[in-house]
Amino acid sequence: MAPWVEAEFSALNPLRTLWLTLAAAFLLILLLQLLPPGLLPGCAIFQDLIRYGKTKCGAPPRPAACRAFDVPKRYFSHFYIISVLWNGFLLWCLTQSLFLGAPFPSWLHGLLRILGAAQFQGGELALSAFLVLVFLWLHSVRRLFECLYVSVFSSVMIHIVQYCFGLVYYVLVGLTVLSQVPMDGRNAYVTGKNLLMQTRWFHILGMMMFIWSSAHQYKCHVILSNLRKNKAGVVIHCNHRIPFGDWFEYVSTPNYLAELMIYISMAVTFGFHNLTWWLVVTYVFFSQALSAFLSHQFYKKKFVSYPKHRKAFLPFLF
């Protein structure tokens, strides 16, 4: 087979197609929300599927059939339980392969091949995927901790479809990372057989960006939770108030912006050139931008005194 044909086939592997499709879908939904109100699709089911939590308050009236599929937003913690367990398992498999030479389970290797993992991927470093998988697992551990011990959830809901999507998402994103590991049969392939010798400047930069973004996201979640507590740290209500401090001075949803920056830090750790992961980043950008825009609308409608200089998602831009 000609090299250019092989390159085209590789570019259209299932994982890239999946993330590209998701990114395009959320871009289209975001563009629809930017239309003038008279042109915006008013279908209650459509709006119900793209909104969750407080943003459902600004949606068209919800028929009883829609409310029958609600689950509490506090079930967000289930996403991170799945991620900690599943991506922890993937990290354990990768660690065993990299440091002890143990092959991946045959079923996992077969799944990775179906999803588009290739043998000896050109220019890819095993250390990059290892670090990104560590970052993803640590991110999930922190978010689980926040859901259980920091966040104060009200009685708001999410749709069962959104809930199921969230569960599947963290399984897919972990497999996406693992599929970027250069493989030699069922084993991870390490150039020179020394993982530490693969350390590059972008690994250090990516790690610094990950820590910086994670710290800001945690701080923003603490600010949000403190809005519902008294000075002694006791929850006194579940109402929405205007948050101030840190990145809230620039955007309405800095926690979503920090989420995007965390995924960008992983793209940096991959060495900037990993197309598959940039498609993941593109999906995260449009999905978080959609949620940010809907949250921004909610705040502006609810609070007459809402700061006019704040943008929804990107400081000074959007």
Side-chain angles (χ1 to χ4, degrees), residues 67-243:
R67 294 193 295 272
F69 293 96
D70 283 348
V71 295
K73 186 185 174 184
R74 64 175 61 92
Y75 283 9
F76 267 31
S77 60
H78 298 178
F79 304 161
Y80 304 111
I81 292 173
I82 292 295
S83 184
V84 168
L85 294 176
W86 171 252
N87 292 314
F89 167 73
L90 296 184
L91 181 59
W92 180 80
C93 290
L94 181 56
T95 301
Q96 291 282 308
S97 183
L98 289 173
F99 296 101
L100 299 179
F104 288 153
S106 57
W107 64 268
L108 179 58
H109 178 254
L111 179 59
L112 292 172
R113 293 302 302 272
I114 291 173
L115 293 175
Q119 302 290 299
F120 298 104
Q121 294 175 359
E124 206 60 74
L125 298 175
L127 179 60
S128 298
F130 175 74
L131 289 175
V132 171
L133 198 52
V134 169
F135 294 166
L136 179 62
W137 186 77
L138 290 175
H139 175 62
S140 301
V141 169
R142 178 181 60 80
R143 290 294 293 119
L144 178 59
F145 171 81
E146 291 173 356
C147 286
L148 296 178
Y149 300 107
V150 176
S151 299
V152 180
F153 292 103
S154 63
S155 58
V156 293
M157 298 290 179
I158 60 175
H159 196 280
I160 188 65
V161 172
Q162 296 169 322
Y163 175 75
C164 293
F165 178 81
L167 295 177
V168 173
Y169 170 79
Y170 282 100
V171 173
L172 285 174
V173 77
L175 288 171
T176 301
V177 177
L178 197 61
S179 72
Q180 305 310 297
V181 177
M183 301 290 292
D184 181 8
R186 286 171 51 195
N187 291 83
Y189 177 77
V190 181
T191 306
K193 302 300 180 182
N194 189 332
L195 193 66
L196 293 179
M197 292 298 293
Q198 294 188 355
T199 304
R200 301 290 187 272
W201 63 270
F202 50 78
H203 293 145
I204 306 301
L205 177 59
M207 183 181 301
M208 293 173 61
M209 289 181 61
F210 174 77
I211 295 172
W212 172 72
S213 304
S214 299
H216 276 287
Q217 189 176 58
Y218 176 78
K219 186 173 183 179
C220 291
H221 287 147
V222 169
I223 290 173
L224 287 172
S225 67
N226 285 341
L227 293 176
R228 297 176 172 178
K229 300 176 181 178
N230 60 19
K231 293 183 179 180
V234 178
V235 177
I236 55 175
H237 65 82
C238 289
N239 299 326
H240 293 285
R241 292 180 175 175
I242 302 176

Side-chain angles (χ1 to χ4, degrees), residues 255-307:
N255 47 330
Y256 298 156
L257 175 59
E259 185 82 2
L260 173 63
M261 295 305 300
I262 286 169
Y263 278 81
I264 290 177
S265 75
M266 296 177 186
V268 172
T269 305
F270 269 125
F272 293 93
H273 67 273
N274 190 297
L275 174 60
T276 302
W277 195 256
W278 278 116
L279 291 175
V280 176
V281 172
T282 304
Y283 155 74
V284 171
F285 176 84
F286 290 126
S287 64
Q288 296 298 300
L290 173 63
S291 297
F293 177 74
L294 296 176
S295 294
H296 189 62
Q297 284 186 319
F298 168 83
Y299 281 122
K300 289 199 301 181
K301 290 179 180 178
K302 185 174 181 62
F303 302 105
V304 178
S305 60
Y306 195 70

Side-chain angles (χ1 to χ4, degrees), residues 306-318:
Y306 195 70
K308 298 186 181 301
H309 68 278
R310 284 191 195 178
K311 298 298 183 179
F313 185 48
L314 301 177
F316 314 113
L317 297 175
F318 172 73

Side-chain angles (χ1 to χ4, degrees), residues 31-72:
L31 292 176
L32 288 175
Q33 298 307 301
L34 295 175
L35 291 174
L39 299 177
L40 186 66
C43 176
I45 297 178
F46 172 75
Q47 293 294 329
D48 206 39
L49 286 173
I50 67 172
R51 297 172 181 267
Y52 63 87
K54 61 181 178 291
T55 62
K56 285 188 180 294
C57 299
R62 303 175 66 219
C66 289
R67 294 193 295 272
F69 293 96
D70 283 348
V71 295

